[in-house]
Amino acid sequence: MEHFSGMPNYRNIYFILCSLQMMTKTMLDFAKSMAKELEDQASQNDNGETKVDINKFFSELTVDNISYAIFGSSYKLGNEVFQAQTELLGITMETFLDVPIPGFKYLPTERNQRKWMLERKLKSLLTQIIQPRLATSEYGNDLLGVMLDSCIETKKGGKQEDLSLSLEEIIHECKLFFFAGHENTSLLLTWSVYLLSIYPEWQDRLRKEVCKEFGRESPNPNALNKLKEMTMVLFETLRLYSPALFMQRKTVTNMTVGSIKLPKGMAIVIPIPIMHRDKEVWGDDADEFKPLRFKDGITRAAKVPHGLLAFSMGPRSCIGQNFSMLEAKSTLALMLQKFSFTLSPDYVHAPVDMFTLKPKFGLHVLVRPLDKCN
Ligand code: HEM
C-alpha cells in the first residue's frame, strides 16, 4: 500500500514526547467545569435531574481540549478560529455536490463573500495568536509552539518573508488537528454514554471501578490507565460505533489481498463499521455489546490481531489515540463519580453517516447528580 512519507516531524514529537499527563490535568479541569454546569442545571429542577443533549456538552468540552493542546493559554481565541473553520466547512459541504462551473468561485455571490470574509477572519485570528510569539521568540510549549519552533529552525538564516508560506502551512495543520482531534473524541464519549445508559450493569461496574481507584477524590491523571474495565468499554464502543467510518488507500504495486488481486494504482475504501461487525473476525456475537472480549487487550479480542481499526493502523494511523483515550477516560471517570445517567424517553436511536458516525437527533439523557461514591 502507499507509503506515506513527509509527515511533519513535530506531530509525533508533540504527541509522543510531550507530557500527556500534564494535558490530562487540563482535561480534568475542563471536565469539572462541564460537570458543574450539569449540577447547576439539575439543582434548578424539583426532581433533581436534568435532561440534556450530552453530545453538545462533549462537543464543547473536546473543542476546549484540542484548542488548549494547540494554542495553550490562547485557547479561547483558538475556539474562535475553530468556529470560523466549522462555518467554512459548512459552506464547502453545501456546495459539495454542485456541478463545478469554471470561474464561479471568483464571483461575488453571497456565499462566496461569506467564505472570503471567514477566510480573512481566520487568518487575522491566527496572526493575532502567532505574531506576539514570533515577536518575543517565546513560541510556547503547545502544538503551535512546537510548529513555530520547527518552522523557524528549518528557515535559519532565511528571510522573514519566508514565514508567510509557513503561516499557510500552520493554518492547514491547525485545521487538520482540530478536525481530526475534537469530533471523534466527542463521538466516542457520546456513544459510550449511550451504551452505558442501555447497559446499566456496565455503568454500575465502571462506577465501582472509578470509585475504588479514586473514591471521592478528583481522578489522578497518573492512575487513569489503571481503569481496565473502562478501557474495555471504550474499545467496545469504538468497535460498535466507530466515529471514523472509512479509510482510503491506494496500491503502489500489483498485489494480492487474500484471494483478491489488486492492480497498482487502485483506490481502496476500507469500511470500518462493516469490518468491526464481521462475524468471521469477531465471532457470532459480533453485533453484541461485550466489553470483556477486550479483557486480554486489543490484539487478542478478535480472531486476527488487527481487528479493531477505529484508529487505523500503520504509518498513517491516528497519532492522537493516546490523547483521545485519556480525554475520554478523564471525562467518563468524572461523569461516573458525579452522576448517573439514563436515556431520555424521547431519545430516537438514529446513528447517521455525516462523514463521522453521529446521533442524528443528538443524545438526550437524563443526568442525576449522585450524593457520593458507594
Ligand atoms: C476517538 C478519537 C479518534 C478516532 C476514532 C480517530 C481516528 C483516526 C483515524 C481512523 C485516522 C487514520 C485515517 C487513515 O488511516 O486514513 C486518524 C488519523 C489522525 N488523527 Fe485521529 N482519531 C481520534 C482522535 C484524534 C485526536 C484526539 C487527534 C489529535 C489530537 C487526532 C489526530 C489525528 C491526526 C493528526 C491524524 C493523521 C492525519 C494524517 O495522516 O494526516 N485524532 N484518526
Side-chain angles (χ1 to χ4, degrees):
M1 297 275 169
E2 192 171 357
H3 179 74
F4 295 93
S5 56
M7 169 106 62
N9 268 340
Y10 56 79
R11 284 199 199 159
N12 287 334
I13 293 169
Y14 187 68
F15 281 96
I16 294 168
L17 298 183
C18 175
S19 167
L20 279 171
Q21 246 73 34
M22 254 174 61
M23 280 194 250
T24 318
K25 199 188 153 302
T26 312
M27 291 168 182
L28 278 164
D29 288 343
F30 284 131
K32 281 177 199 161
S33 314
M34 184 191 81
K36 171 88 177 48
E37 205 180 323
L38 289 169
E39 279 166 344
D40 288 349
Q41 283 192 19
S43 69
Q44 283 163 21
N45 296 331
D46 292 342
N47 62 3
E49 64 184 22
T50 181
K51 184 180 128 180
V52 292
D53 178 359
I54 202 74
N55 183 233
K56 283 201 180 130
F57 278 76
F58 290 148
S59 182
E60 281 169 25
L61 175 87
T62 52
V63 165
D64 279 346
N65 273 323
I66 195 69
S67 184
Y68 197 88
I70 300 175
F71 297 118
S73 55
S74 334
Y75 79 95
K76 285 224 183 295
L77 216 49
N79 280 356
E80 286 187 47
V81 171
F82 298 144
Q83 273 162 23
Q85 281 180 353
T86 308
E87 215 182 312
L88 266 173
L89 183 71
I91 294 177
T92 311
M93 300 281 287
E94 277 170 24
T95 52
F96 192 60
L97 293 176
D98 287 359
V99 178
I101 301 170
F104 193 74
K105 64 179 179 187
Y106 302 109
L107 295 181
T109 60
E110 203 178 313
R111 192 186 273 153
N112 282 345
Q113 290 198 33
R114 176 99 195 117
K115 193 169 157 233
W116 298 332
M117 190 281 286
L118 286 166
E119 280 166 355
R120 280 196 303 274
K121 183 173 173 190
L122 198 63
K123 205 159 179 169
S124 132
L125 282 167
L126 280 166
T127 312
Q128 275 181 61
I129 300 175
I130 292 168
Q131 286 305 346
R133 297 196 192 194
L134 287 178
T136 60
S137 306
E138 288 292 325
Y139 303 139
N141 57 1
D142 43 40
L143 180 67
L144 178 64
V146 180
M147 280 196 270
L148 288 174
D149 215 33
S150 72
C151 99
I152 301 295
E153 206 146 288
T154 55
K155 294 187 185 304
K156 250 180 200 160
K159 291 185 200 139
Q160 183 70 9
E161 59 262 29
D162 287 349
L163 283 174
S164 59
L165 178 67
S166 297
L167 185 63
E168 299 302 326
E169 285 170 353
I170 288 169
I171 292 175
H172 175 267
E173 287 297 301
C174 290
K175 273 190 205 167
L176 172 70
F177 267 83
F178 174 68
F179 285 112
H182 108 88
E183 191 171 65
N184 283 333
T185 316
S186 158
L187 289 168
L188 167 59
L189 278 163
T190 300
W191 292 122
S192 301
V193 164
Y194 165 74
L195 287 164
L196 292 175
S197 300
I198 60 169
Y199 294 96
E201 65 281 14
W202 272 99
Q203 189 180 142
D204 288 347
R205 230 169 132 149
L206 291 202
R207 186 169 295 110
K208 281 197 184 107
E209 186 183 46
V210 171
C211 291
K212 189 167 159 239
E213 201 54 55
F214 306 118
R216 299 188 69 181
E217 300 299 313
S218 171
N220 172 355
N222 300 313
L224 283 168
N225 281 333
K226 291 189 188 161
L227 301 174
K228 300 284 174 229
E229 297 212 331
M230 185 180 287
T231 309
M232 289 184 229
V233 166
L234 289 171
F235 286 153
E236 184 68 337
T237 306
L238 285 169
R239 185 183 73 82
L240 290 170
Y241 291 92
S242 171
L245 290 166
F246 62 86
M247 289 173 289
Q248 289 168 295
R249 293 291 184 269
K250 197 156 122 190
T251 52
V252 287
T253 177
N254 293 334
M255 61 190 301
T256 307
V257 179
S259 57
I260 308 171
K261 287 195 187 331
L262 301 169
K264 181 181 170 186
M266 168 153 272
I268 297 166
V269 174
I270 303 162
I272 302 177
I274 293 173
M275 316 263 305
H276 277 181
R277 288 179 187 240
D278 185 343
K279 293 200 163 105
E280 277 184 34
V281 174
W282 294 96
D284 289 341
D285 58 2
D287 287 327
E288 291 166 40
F289 175 69
K290 288 199 168 170
L292 287 174
R293 69 176 90 240
F294 286 100
K295 69 180 185 326
D296 298 318
I298 291 193
T299 50
R300 300 209 177 144
K303 289 178 188 159
V304 296
H306 300 302
L308 192 74
L309 294 170
F311 291 114
S312 182
M313 65 174 82
R316 208 68 197 250
S317 68
C318 178
I319 62 159
Q321 54 186 293
N322 291 340
F323 181 98
S324 71
M325 287 299 281
L326 276 176
E327 192 177 355
K329 280 182 197 173
S330 47
T331 309
L332 262 193
L334 209 77
M335 286 280 296
L336 287 157
Q337 258 184 338
K338 289 181 177 285
F339 306 101
S340 68
F341 34 88
T342 48
L343 281 186
S344 163
D346 56 10
Y347 170 72
V348 178
H349 191 55
V352 62
D353 171 357
M354 291 166 77
F355 283 99
T356 47
L357 188 69
K358 295 205 176 98
K360 185 169 182 188
F361 308 109
L363 178 62
H364 294 274
V365 282
L366 304 175
V367 178
R368 171 173 286 276
L370 294 169
D371 286 340
K372 59 173 183 249
C373 258
N374 317 299

